[in-house]
Amino acid sequence: MASKQHHAGEAHHVIPMKVYMAVAVSLFILTFLTVGAHNVLQPGNFKTIVAFAIATVKAILVIGYFMHLKYDNMINRVVFGTAFMGLVLLFFFCALDIGTRIPAEPLVPMPSQIPPITAPANPGTPASSTH
Amino acid sequence: MSTDSAHHDPRVAHHFRDATHQYDSSKQGIWLFMATEILMFGGLFVGYAIYHHMYPAMFSEGASYLNWKMGFLNTLVLIFSSLTMALGIYFIQHKQKQLANWSLFITILCGAIFMVVKYFEYSHKFHDGIFPGRYFSHEGIEHANLALYFSFYFCMSGLHGIHVMLGMGLITWVLIRNIRGDFDENHYTAVEGVGIFWHIVDLIWIYLFPILYLIG
């Protein structure tokens, strides 16, 4: 590394104006496409996938060009990518947990439906009769 | 070789080898912060995904209370503000200080427009008794637990709105510093960091718009 003499500013990659404009125009078009697909497609899984796919293309454009990650060093990409891996783990284990639960009793009673704890009517009854 | 690190630039702190080293380190910190942002919003997104899967009809009903045109307008405003933010850095890189100032100013203005639209949306909801969780008092709903949708709506768009306002404050800060002449084509780390923050606000909205407004 000592052989590499850095100038201040050498690490700053300058993205041409036309690239910014092309990215912005693409983002606008994709936003119209999102709304268009919403109004045309029938409700269902496919519609959700389309909306999510368009959003992901937009996200990649923003991350790559506006946030300059395309031209950034590898460690910053890894740092940012790790967050998404964390999200995948979070989603996976939450979905695994909830998806494999045995259907529970109809509903847990709301606090207002639980009878208030009162003194036992018969003072002779032992307090712990639940055993 | 590496002992020859004496530099005279007052903007480079003494524990950095040179300006590039300082810039890279600062930026790495920003990206670590961005990772925590993704994880913070990610928790809400995962919760949303699971509850949406459990009660799809209820979420559709909730989305029908939102005006997608408002969300659409806000999406366009935020994308435009992301462009002007990126151009602010571009103009600093090209020594066009006045244009950079204007770009940053327009970015703040777009943030304000976004918040004004959000204000109208929120006040309309509050007027109809649409509040999160147990404060929900809107009459004539189809799904008894519709309040759950609005808990997600207010938490996600509210947390996002807080980020927009924080971003506006941060851009104001770098705008003042740029007017003061703190930055030039080689030193603009603060603008770059604030820019990345502003873009992640846009990034999150890109997902929030379809999942809150365009479902069902």
Side-chain angles (χ1 to χ4, degrees):
Chain A
M1 77 176 309
S3 62
K4 209 172 177 184
Q5 193 74 19
H6 279 291
H7 279 279
E10 193 184 296
H12 301 175
H13 187 277
V14 179
I15 298 176
M17 173 73 93
K18 63 176 184 211
V19 174
Y20 281 131
M21 289 301 168
V23 169
V25 168
S26 310
L27 288 173
F28 282 125
I29 291 170
L30 287 167
T31 305
F32 279 93
L33 206 62
T34 305
V35 173
H38 170 73
N39 290 328
V40 169
L41 295 175
Q42 296 298 312
N45 287 337
F46 181 66
K47 187 175 174 178
T48 311
I49 291 166
V50 168
F52 215 73
I54 297 173
T56 303
V57 173
K58 288 168 77 178
I60 289 167
L61 286 173
V62 170
I63 293 167
Y65 294 96
F66 283 169
M67 297 167 94
H68 308 148
L69 201 60
K70 186 172 187 281
Y71 308 97
D72 215 320
N73 58 36
M74 188 49 86
I75 190 150
N76 287 345
R77 285 185 232 179
V78 169
V79 163
F80 199 50
T82 307
F84 291 94
M85 277 175 56
L87 262 193
V88 170
L89 281 177
L90 178 67
F91 178 77
F92 176 75
F93 284 106
C94 287
L96 201 65
D97 171 23
I98 289 167
T100 55
R101 280 183 197 177
I102 297 159
E105 303 294 311
L107 267 182
V108 177
M110 296 296 284
S112 60
Q113 293 171 308
I114 299 171
I117 298 161
T118 49
N122 183 356
T125 312
S128 57
S129 58
T130 50
H131 288 294
Chain B
M1 178 73 207
S2 59
T3 53
D4 180 29
S5 62
H7 46 66
H8 306 288
D9 190 338
R11 284 177 291 197
V12 178
H14 69 92
H15 52 281
F16 290 114
R17 197 165 52 244
D18 53 30
T20 304
H21 186 202
Q22 176 166 284
Y23 176 79
D24 286 346
S25 306
S26 305
K27 229 171 143 185
Q28 196 177 324
I30 291 288
W31 279 109
L32 277 165
F33 173 42
M34 290 310 112
T36 66
E37 289 280 14
I38 292 296
L39 290 173
M40 177 167 67
F41 277 98
L44 288 168
F45 275 98
V46 169
Y48 177 97
I50 286 169
Y51 278 108
H52 183 207
H53 181 74
M54 289 164 83
Y55 309 106
M58 183 266 282
F59 274 72
S60 292
E61 191 196 352
S64 72
Y65 280 85
L66 304 184
N67 184 354
W68 67 264
K69 290 183 181 111
M70 296 280 227
F72 179 62
L73 171 68
N74 263 351
T75 309
L76 298 179
V77 167
L78 268 199
I79 289 173
F80 185 72
S81 79
S82 256
L83 173 67
T84 54
M85 184 70 230
L87 290 183
I89 294 165
Y90 174 89
F91 288 130
I92 290 173
Q93 287 170 333
H94 289 79
K95 304 183 193 176
Q96 289 168 305
K97 190 176 149 184
Q98 284 304 320
L99 284 171
N101 288 339
W102 277 110
S103 298
L104 294 174
F105 178 72
I106 292 167
T107 311
I108 299 165
L109 210 62
C110 287
I113 292 169
F114 181 93
M115 289 313 295
V116 167
V117 173
K118 213 81 230 132
Y119 167 79
F120 282 119
E121 285 188 283
Y122 270 32
S123 50
H124 182 241
K125 298 274 170 307
F126 293 159
H127 181 260
D128 289 350
I130 295 174
F131 291 98
R134 67 194 175 103
Y135 301 101
F136 192 89
S137 62
H138 188 66
E139 301 289 331
I141 53 173
E142 283 175 43
H143 297 87
N145 51 359
L146 186 65
L148 177 66
Y149 169 82
F150 283 102
S151 297
F152 274 110
Y153 170 74
F154 283 114
C155 280
M156 295 173 102
S157 66
L159 186 62
H160 179 265
I162 290 168
H163 278 77
V164 172
M165 288 191 283
L166 279 173
M168 286 166 66
L170 289 168
I171 299 166
T172 307
W173 170 63
V174 291
L175 174 60
I176 291 168
R177 285 191 64 187
N178 196 46
I179 291 168
R180 216 166 58 186
D182 283 5
F183 306 120
D184 60 41
E185 69 277 13
N186 291 323
H187 298 92
Y188 55 87
T189 311
V191 195
E192 176 86 13
V194 168
I196 288 173
F197 179 79
W198 188 254
H199 297 311
I200 209 154
V201 172
D202 183 23
L203 182 75
I204 287 158
W205 185 258
I206 283 172
Y207 282 98
L208 281 183
F209 172 55
I211 73 162
L212 291 177
Y213 291 79
L214 302 180
I215 50 170

